[in-house]
Each structure stands twice: as C-alpha cells, then as structure tokens.
Amino acid sequence: MTLRTKLIVLMVALGLFPMVIVASLSYVKTYRTLANQGEASLMTMQQSFGSAVNRYLDTLHAQTRSLAITPDVISALQDFTSAVDAFDPQSASYNSAKLQERYKYQEQQTEGGSPGDAERWIPTDATERSLQGIYIGDNPYPIGEKQNLMKALDGSRYSDVHARYHGYFKALVEEFGLYDIFLIDKASGRIVYSMFKEVDFMRSVTKAPISETQLAHVAKRVFAEAKTDTSYLSDFESYMPSYNATAGFIASGIFADGKLIGALVIQVPLDEIAATMESAKVLGETSDAYIINKDGKFVTQAFRLAVKPGESGPSEIVTRLAGLLDDANSSILSYRGTDGHPTLSATGPVQVPYVSERGVHSSNLPVDERLPWLVSVRITKSELLKDLFSQIKLGVLLVITTTVILLALTWLATRKVMEPIQEIADGVQGMTASIREQAR
C-alpha cells in the first residue's frame, strides 16, 4: 500500500468515525423512544377498547333492569301469558308445509347443521307449533323481516295482544340497537313473545332444543334467584335459533305484586363491539384488534388473522393470551405472529360482571364473577418502528454520500501534498543512483 493510499484511508476513517458513533447513539435512543411510544399507544388503545366494551355492556345491563320494571313490560308478560294459555291449537289454521320449509332452511343455514335436524327441531307441542305456523310459517314477510308482521289474521286473542304490544317492543329494539327481546313465563318456561320471530319463538327454556343454550341458562338463573333490580349476563356461545352465530343474553326478573312472574331477556348484538375493534385498522396495515373468550375462541373477527367469530384462533397466540385472563391489568406481549413477523400486542380483560345490581359498581372482579373476555390490540414491530427504519435508510445514504465526498476531497488533498514530496523523493532517488554510479 502506497503512502498516498494510507493517507486517504486514514483521513476517511477519521472523518467517518465520529459520524458512525453519533448515528449509532441516535439509533439506540430513537429505538427506545419509538418502542416506548408504540407500546404506550397500543396500551392506550387497548384500554380504550376495553372501556368501550365495559360501558356498552354495563349500559345494556341497566337498560334491561329498567325495562323489566316498566308497567308496559309487566302487563305485556301477563297478557301474552294469558293469551297463550287460552290459545286453542285445535281451532288454529296454518300451512304446516311452510313451517317445515322454514325449519329445513334453518337446518341448511345453520353452521354445523346436519340432515334430520329440521325434524328434531320442529315443535311437537301443539300450541308451540300452531303459533309458530301462524307467526313464522304463514308470515308473509321474508326471513329476517318477520318482525314486520304486527298482527296475524287468525282471530285469536294472542294476535290481539300481539297487535297491542309488538310496535312498542319493535321500537325498543330499533332505538337501543338490540338484536331481539324475549318475554318468558316463569310457570311454563315458555318464550311467550319474541320480537324477531326466529325459531325460538314459543319454545320452552326447560325443553329441547334450547334448554342448554345460554338464553335458557340466564333465564333459569333469574327464576332461581328471584332478585329485584338485578340483571344477569350470560356467556357468549353459538346459538342454534340464530344459525349457531355467537350470541349472548342479559335477563332481568319481571315482578307483579312482589311476585316473580317471568323474565325479560335481550339478545346482545355484537355489531357495535365489532365496529369498535375494527377501528384499530387506523394504526397501520398490520394492526388488528379482537376479543377472545376463555376457550380461546374469537368473539369478534380478527381481520388480519382471517379468524371469524366463534372460531378458535392460532394456538401460539391463544396460549400466550390465555394466561392473562386472571390479571386485572393490561400487559404488553412480544411474540412471533402467524406470518413469522415479530409482533407486539397489548392485552387485558374486560370488567363486566355476570350479575349487576342497581346502584352497585363492581371493579377488579375475580374471573369467575365477570365475563371471561380478553381485548387484544396487535401490530408488527416492523410497522411500529417504521420511522426508525426510515431514519436508518437515511443514515446509510448519508454515510455513503459522506464517504464519496471524503474520498474525493482526500484524493485532491493528498495529491497537492504528495506532489512536492514525490519530487523530493525522485531527487533523492536520482542522487542515490548517481552516487552509486560514481562508486563503481
């Protein structure tokens, strides 16, 4: 290596060394800052989502309790129950084939349904079958719009009562954004009224095919405990009358003259909760938010993971999250996602009680007293730190540019310095050669 080359390397190294040190320190500081800011943003969003779910379900708890004590609801249950008891199925006229067609449709559209389910599900009780035939089978409105029938023209007392109250309950469902409302008679366990007119209409919570559903469980708890000013929330599980879609229910007792006569039950819609989770997309292309239950099944859709409500999530994710169910606070988890990318998630439980009493606020409940849901917000680390990677690219470009400039300047500078030195060296070399020649 020539002297000039050595000088060029030395000068470039002296110029780049401080820059590399400063850039490295800046990278470390920026990484820590962005990582902390990213985790804080995830945690804030997760807590915000969790609070939104808490408020929504707490509001439904309160609405259910309030509705159950209104005079209209109390008289409606009494009138519907009396009308069902007085109903004569022998005099009822309906198209049996249409009801069978409706159950065949139910069998075909229900996830996990199998041949023969329609025959197992269709009512055998004459009153149940007749009123379903009138309000479901012969109902002129299409499936999904059966609630638009205000009064059947069968001439029964039940239809008179239905015409009197149905508009009121339909307005409640639409105003509060509910999925359905049920009135259940305690003595028979029968759903004497439902707004939406699915195949649970007129069925008994003590008999198949709905006796083991969450609707039945929450109604039975109301009947067993017989508490005033109290509402009960069920778990969210697949529900056959809703085609095995995930469904949850809130129920409260209906009392007349101090005696429990039945229950008001609402079917909780998940649309608003799902919309809240979907808003996490604003974080970035890899961001996602979802709710999973104690069984590792997704309550809301995980868009980035392509997991639908009611489905089990990837085991590597569910296993990590399940351990947080007993914690009262949110936590940050770092793991490798199903796509292989390092991922960060903020995860924490909701604080919605199974049992809610008027005037009583509960927090930090043990897991067996609250809805076993975890709200999780996730994003890949690469997207979370994309600003850092942009800075790194800019820094590399700066180093390359600086190196080129330093090489050019050093080459020019060493050329100026090396010319007189080279002349002296050439002179010395010539003198040496001349002395050697004379010595010979």
Side-chain angles (χ1 to χ4, degrees):
M1 184 182 293
T2 65
L3 177 61
R4 185 180 182 185
T5 302
K6 291 179 179 179
L7 286 173
I8 291 174
V9 171
L10 178 61
M11 294 179 69
V12 170
L14 290 174
L16 290 179
F17 182 73
M19 180 179 294
V20 172
I21 294 298
V22 171
S24 299
L25 293 175
S26 175
Y27 166 80
V28 172
K29 182 179 180 180
T30 303
Y31 175 85
R32 290 174 178 171
T33 300
L34 290 177
N36 290 336
Q37 289 176 349
E39 290 183 4
S41 296
L42 277 180
M43 188 69 78
T44 298
M45 180 166 281
Q46 188 279 327
Q47 291 173 345
S48 174
F49 286 177
S51 296
V53 173
N54 292 344
R55 287 193 302 272
Y56 178 62
L57 293 177
D58 283 341
T59 298
L60 292 182
H61 260 302
Q63 288 175 344
T64 305
R65 289 195 304 270
S66 296
L67 286 173
I69 62 174
T70 59
D72 285 339
V73 169
I74 296 170
S75 62
L77 175 60
Q78 291 173 322
D79 290 346
F80 274 118
T81 300
S82 177
V84 171
D85 290 342
F87 184 81
D88 180 11
Q90 300 301 322
S91 62
S93 176
Y94 65 95
N95 189 328
S96 181
K98 286 186 177 180
L99 185 61
Q100 291 174 335
E101 289 175 6
R102 174 62 181 85
Y103 272 90
K104 192 64 179 177
Y105 178 86
Q106 186 79 21
E107 174 187 289
Q108 294 168 348
Q109 299 299 315
T110 299
E111 184 175 354
S114 58
D117 281 343
E119 290 301 318
R120 286 190 290 271
W121 293 337
I122 199 165
T124 56
D125 178 86
T127 298
E128 293 178 8
R129 192 170 185 128
S130 296
L131 283 168
Q132 279 203 1
I134 294 168
Y135 276 89
I136 297 178
D138 287 352
N139 190 319
Y141 291 94
I143 295 172
E145 299 180 20
K146 301 291 185 183
Q147 72 275 15
N148 291 323
L149 177 63
M150 292 295 172
K151 181 180 181 180
L153 301 178
D154 64 324
S156 67
R157 181 183 168 192
Y158 184 89
S159 290
D160 292 337
V161 173
H162 192 276
R164 188 185 315 153
Y165 293 106
H166 184 63
Y168 168 72
F169 286 110
K170 187 171 182 288
L172 286 178
V173 167
E174 293 171 353
E175 181 178 353
F176 294 139
L178 307 177
Y179 184 90
D180 205 352
I181 285 182
F182 308 88
L183 297 179
I184 305 177
D185 171 44
K186 178 179 181 292
S188 64
R190 177 177 284 155
I191 299 172
V192 295
Y193 171 82
S194 75
M195 194 285 301
F196 204 54
K197 300 301 184 294
E198 290 187 317
V199 296
D200 45 16
F201 174 63
M202 284 294 142
R203 307 313 288 261
S204 172
V205 297
T206 63
K207 300 176 183 178
I210 67 168
S211 59
E212 296 303 318
T213 64
Q214 289 300 321
L215 169 62
H217 291 165
V218 77
K220 291 172 184 176
R221 187 167 185 183
V222 168
F223 299 153
E225 298 191 9
K227 290 183 178 180
T228 59
D229 293 328
T230 305
S231 52
Y232 300 83
L233 172 66
S234 75
D235 282 319
F236 284 67
E237 295 181 357
S238 58
Y239 184 60
M240 182 278 289
S242 296
Y243 308 101
N244 272 345
T246 299
F249 303 88
I250 300 178
S252 188
I254 299 175
F255 291 80
D257 299 324
K259 179 183 177 182
L260 179 68
I261 61 172
L264 173 106
V265 184
I266 67 167
Q267 186 168 341
V268 180
L270 290 173
D271 297 351
E272 186 167 333
I273 295 175
T276 299
M277 298 299 110
E278 190 173 354
S279 65
K281 289 181 177 180
V282 300
L283 281 178
E285 294 180 359
T286 63
S287 62
D288 205 355
Y290 41 79
I291 297 174
I292 65 171
N293 64 19
K294 65 181 186 301
D295 300 319
K297 292 185 177 180
F298 281 65
V299 179
T300 59
Q301 183 168 355
F303 293 92
R304 311 299 187 194
L305 296 174
V307 180
K308 297 179 181 179
E311 294 181 347
S312 297
S315 58
E316 60 270 31
I317 294 178
V318 171
T319 300
R320 284 179 172 271
L321 298 184
L324 301 176
L325 195 57
D326 292 333
D327 295 342
N329 300 314
S330 301
S331 304
I332 292 289
L333 287 180
S334 178
Y335 57 89
R336 192 167 294 277
T338 54
D339 54 5
H341 294 130
T343 300
L344 280 179
S345 74
T347 304
V350 300
Q351 292 290 335
V352 180
Y354 280 126
V355 182
S356 178
E357 299 180 57
R358 191 183 306 276
V360 177
H361 177 72
S362 303
S363 61
N364 295 327
L365 295 166
V367 68
D368 60 338
E369 295 182 15
R370 58 177 163 84
L371 194 63
W373 281 4
L374 286 169
V375 177
S376 184
V377 182
R378 66 183 286 274
I379 191 171
T380 59
K381 288 185 178 180
S382 59
E383 185 163 22
L384 190 67
L385 300 173
K386 61 182 179 181
D387 291 341
L388 175 62
F389 296 142
S390 297
Q391 289 187 25
I392 292 175
K393 291 179 182 178
L394 182 62
V396 171
L397 180 62
L398 181 62
V399 169
I400 293 174
T401 303
T402 303
T403 301
V404 172
I405 293 173
L406 283 174
L407 283 172
L409 293 176
T410 304
W411 184 82
L412 292 174
T414 54
R415 183 179 179 183
K416 296 282 188 183
V417 173
M418 290 302 298
E419 283 181 355
I421 294 176
Q422 189 65 45
E423 289 178 359
I424 294 173
D426 291 343
V428 171
Q429 187 175 7
M431 291 175 61
T432 303
S434 176
I435 291 172
R436 288 177 180 173
E437 188 65 31
Q438 291 177 2
R440 291 177 181 175

